[in-house]
Amino acid sequence: MKRLTFDTFIPHKSNQGAYEIAREVARMQPELPRPVVFLGESGSGKTHLLWAIVNYFRDRNSVVRLALISPRDFPDKVKRLSSDEDKLKAQPPIVLLVDDLHGFAQHAADLEKTVLALIQHGHNAVLATRIHECSFRIQRKIQGTFECRRHCRY
């Protein structure tokens, strides 16, 4: 996935906003809304942008705790973050990247708890999904709880 970078992403007027926000996440801009939600059809570049964030941090040896998770790979150590105050309060910052949010129905409660704990402690989460946020329980919870102000449509 090393080839998935901001340089290899092809911005288009339909995804320019998502591209710019992903770059802001990578630059750790403090004024970003939390969490950020990327909404788009399959193949629209959401996963590419998540990996571009990962590779941006790796290329710069950034001091950040980073996890890219998917419904097939949701490690217990990420799930346990929500109940580990010491890790939530510790530095460096945490960035959680969630790919295929629409597939987390089985883990929705754990994911909600984890994302909420990260946001409450000033960390960031980026959620990528192909389902409109109002049609999936976890997204409705996020919409109401975290006041997502910016959604990026591809």
Side-chain angles (χ1 to χ4, degrees):
M1 298 302 208
K2 289 181 180 183
R3 64 181 172 74
L4 300 177
T5 66
F6 290 116
D7 290 336
T8 61
F9 188 80
I10 301 171
H12 179 269
K13 66 180 180 177
S14 64
N15 63 21
Q16 186 66 40
Y19 172 79
E20 291 170 7
I21 290 171
R23 291 193 61 103
E24 288 179 32
V25 168
R27 293 184 192 122
M28 302 293 290
Q29 299 297 318
E31 66 278 353
L32 273 175
R34 292 186 171 122
V36 171
V37 177
F38 293 147
L39 174 63
E41 296 300 319
S42 181
S44 61
K46 300 177 305 295
T47 299
H48 187 133
L49 288 174
L50 295 178
W51 275 102
I53 293 168
V54 168
N55 289 320
Y56 182 94
F57 288 135
R58 286 180 178 166
D59 290 348
R60 285 154 186 78
N61 295 317
S62 299
V63 181
V64 64
R65 293 176 288 167
L66 182 66
L68 174 60
I69 64 171
S70 70
R72 297 168 305 286
D73 183 23
F74 188 13
D76 286 338
K77 71 179 187 177
V78 174
K79 292 177 191 174
R80 288 191 301 267
L81 274 174
S82 63
S83 59
D84 192 334
E85 282 290 317
D86 291 337
K87 286 188 179 175
L88 288 167
K89 291 179 180 177
Q91 291 295 321
I94 300 170
V95 177
L96 178 65
L97 306 172
V98 180
D99 200 12
D100 295 332
L101 176 62
H102 48 274
F104 273 88
Q106 185 176 2
H107 303 287
D110 287 330
L111 184 59
E112 287 174 3
K113 210 162 58 171
T114 302
V115 170
L116 180 58
L118 290 172
I119 301 307
Q120 288 175 335
H121 286 84
H123 301 289
N124 207 343
V126 179
L127 314 171
T129 186
R130 69 172 186 250
I131 297 176
H132 189 273
E133 59 275 0
C134 295
S135 63
F136 190 62
R137 183 176 73 89
I138 189 170
Q139 293 163 330
R140 283 196 306 272
K141 171 95 170 159
I142 288 169
Q143 176 69 22
T145 303
F146 305 134
E147 300 175 16
C148 286
R149 296 183 307 255
R150 193 185 303 180
H151 295 282
C152 306
R153 234 191 182 90
Y154 283 82

